[in-house]
Amino acid sequence: MKVLKKILLGIIILLVVAGIGIYFWLQSTKPKLDGELQLKGLKAPVEVIYDDYGVPHIYAQNEDDLFQAFGYVHAQDRLFQMELLRRLADGRLSELFGEKALPSDKFFRTLSFRQHAQWTIDSVLMKNPNAPFVKAAQAYIKGVNEYIENGKTPPEFSIAGIKKTPFEMADMQIIMGYMGFTFAEAFRSEAISTMIQNKYGPEYWKDVMTGWPTNEPKIPTNAQENMASSTALARMANQLTNIETNALFPPYHGSNGWVIAGSKTKSGKPILSNDTHIAFSQPSVWYEAHLECPNFKFYGNFLAGTPVGALGHSQYGGWGLTMFENDDVDFFREKANPANTNQVWYKDHWEDLKVREESIKIKDAADIKIAVKTSRHGILMNDSFDKMADQKDPIALWWVFNQFPSHHIEAFYEMAHAKNATEAAKAASKLTSPGLNIMWGDTEGNIAWWAAGKLPKRPAHVNPMLILDGSTGNDDPQGWYDFSLNPQILNPKRGVLYTANNQPADMGNGLVPGYYVPGNRASRIEELLFNDKKDWTQESVRKVINDVTSSSFTGLLKDILPVIDKNKLSPSAKNGLEKLAKWDGSHDLEDIEPTIYYRFLYHFFVNTIKDELGNEVFKAFEHNGNFKRNMATLMRNDASPWWDNVSTKNKETRKEILTTSLNEALASLEKQLGNDISAWKWEKVHTLTHNHPLGILPVVGKYFSVGPLPAPGGRETINNLDFSVDSSGTYKVTYGPALRRIVDFADVEHGRSVLPTGQSGHLLSKHYDDQAEMFVQGGSRPELMNRAEIEKVKTGKLVLKP
């Protein structure tokens, strides 16, 4: 016994010593936020003042020094995030994580972001080497690499066995390519859409995959102001869903944004509000910084590895973003030559494919080689999906992104320097893909919205939501619309403009095809903003940005609950019906109704669409944008063929399916949460966790992630904290506002925002998660631009010298 006690004591001492050692090692890797450092290439000293939320305020004497210092500072806080993002987009995760990352690597290597990046460098950047935006990008890369060479190594690099290597201009472009991919809903939707059309026909297709419902609000425009086999294709969508779900850097999903004219604000100047909807991760997607030098003063939100703010404002004006949701992707089924796998038929002849070989390195396994083939319509996708590789006719990806070199750096650099709406519009016109809604406000009093992106002219007979025929040439795009025909509006008479990923109205050349989200948020925004109120302030706007009520749900329930056969409901289901009938659509933490509603929704999904689609496709389809948009239409359509279960002999009706679904929902809730319905509070089942890429590690991994935190909000409320509706009965938030930002242009030095967790990517930094509680509670903190006020709250001052 004495020996055993000594052994246990020894183990405890070793664990304590190891813990202390790990703690001090982690402390030694924290970024330097105070003192002096030397940076090669600086022309003059640069000051970096960190405020009480870890936001760097960078003061330089010229732009080259400013962006070099920003690159260094950005890398200090987010180098691991930068590293993983460039590896993900470049198809190089298998080098770190082995064969489990191979599906992702094959897919992204096939998308050829590196080749597109080099095209951009050769045709845009190197042709304008003295352009200010090029010099800013080069200076930023120089600063990042200075930190990589001389700065501290983030602990994740040591834990994951990553060797630090310099960043290149191509890496910056690759990251922007990934952003473009995550915005393109067609990747997820068109294969399933074609599968439903081919297998079940137009009667099934129209109920779940058609365009914008006629009764949903459209974004007003200037024109309005003035006047292979189906199963294999669906499996492709499912595999892509898995790739995105497991991605180490989150995809983009939507967003809200609006600008209120000075005629309707207390200050007399426009107020801009923006919350970008992105899948949650740790660290936060956006990094905030205030950059200032002679003739330039800017507060922005930056993506890892990029020098220009994708969102931000200056002393003159500023902008927010949402996804346009236009369909800028088409898939073409090519006709392969049986005698030559490197040829496809076009009109009247066999055409040679371009073939490029890629080698993927895999940790603890031999390298593999893949052939990337390209037709006139684009990259052939079959070999990047396991369950499509053996299909006879390959599928080609035609994507607007691949038709032009990228002008993102140029456009957002110019946006940050714009002094009015005219200059901002010129910058917005340079964007090609992904499609972005840009909302602008300025100190001159202008408010504007541009749906930015190149819009293709498609033949009149083409339905871009279906996979097209590449062999005849009849479905090929026929050119491009001029930017003046993109949906847009300047200074609308209503005094308010907004976008919530909803369908823009017709500019005179037809509605723009797209994967627009349900109109719930748009309806609620119109309900709250379009009134006679003329004293809007930052505080009153924040109540709207945090709103968690969906009146669309109450309207739907009012239509479908009377259909349910009350005589066939269980006692608990009758109780649930009564609660849903009185629900106002709110998703507060104490509410019971959303817990019942989404469980009812799940069983409705299973009982209507799962029998047709099967388990594998059902998983991808439930979160499909088209289905979410058309779900209410389907639920209201008594004659829809989806009500019938194709697996049974009887023909089920809407009444039967809705009644059965509510009974099953309440029974499963009792099993999950107990018989006391008053205990089924939303906070018990709706939680937010910010997962770190190293969160998968045993024991220590949990310390890198932040959460879980009970969260208000729900699916397509303005505070859009969305989730998968599955069999678990829990609703773990997958995406939502990646910030909530409001700027009154009467006082540009005091915008207010909040990040989901914090600024820093270092586990031991107090800014790692110091905004997490504030975020779920709907709070905010300042975006300071006044130096005297910044000095009062500074937590460190770093001086960078030549």
Side-chain angles (χ1 to χ4, degrees), residues 333-350:
R333 181 183 285 103
E334 305 286 20
K335 181 180 178 181
N337 186 349
N340 185 346
T341 57
N342 290 329
Q343 287 186 333
V344 296
W345 184 262
Y346 186 70
K347 291 186 176 179
D348 58 1
H349 64 283
W350 294 110

Side-chain angles (χ1 to χ4, degrees), residues 271-321:
I271 294 178
L272 168 71
S273 174
N274 190 205
D275 53 299
T276 57
H277 299 167
I278 300 175
F280 289 112
S281 68
Q282 177 60 5
S284 300
V285 170
W286 297 114
Y287 182 79
E288 294 188 23
H290 164 210
L291 312 181
E292 192 164 332
C293 69
N295 302 316
F296 184 56
K297 183 176 182 178
F298 178 73
Y299 193 109
N301 298 84
F302 301 80
L303 293 171
T306 61
V308 289
L311 318 166
H313 68 279
S314 69
Q315 70 269 44
Y316 303 108
W319 75 97
L321 296 180

Side-chain angles (χ1 to χ4, degrees), residues 782-797:
E783 294 184 330
L784 296 174
M785 296 179 74
N786 180 287
R787 177 151 185 169
E789 294 176 343
I790 294 164
E791 294 274 6
K792 290 179 181 178
V793 296
K794 75 176 180 182
T795 56
K797 182 177 180 180

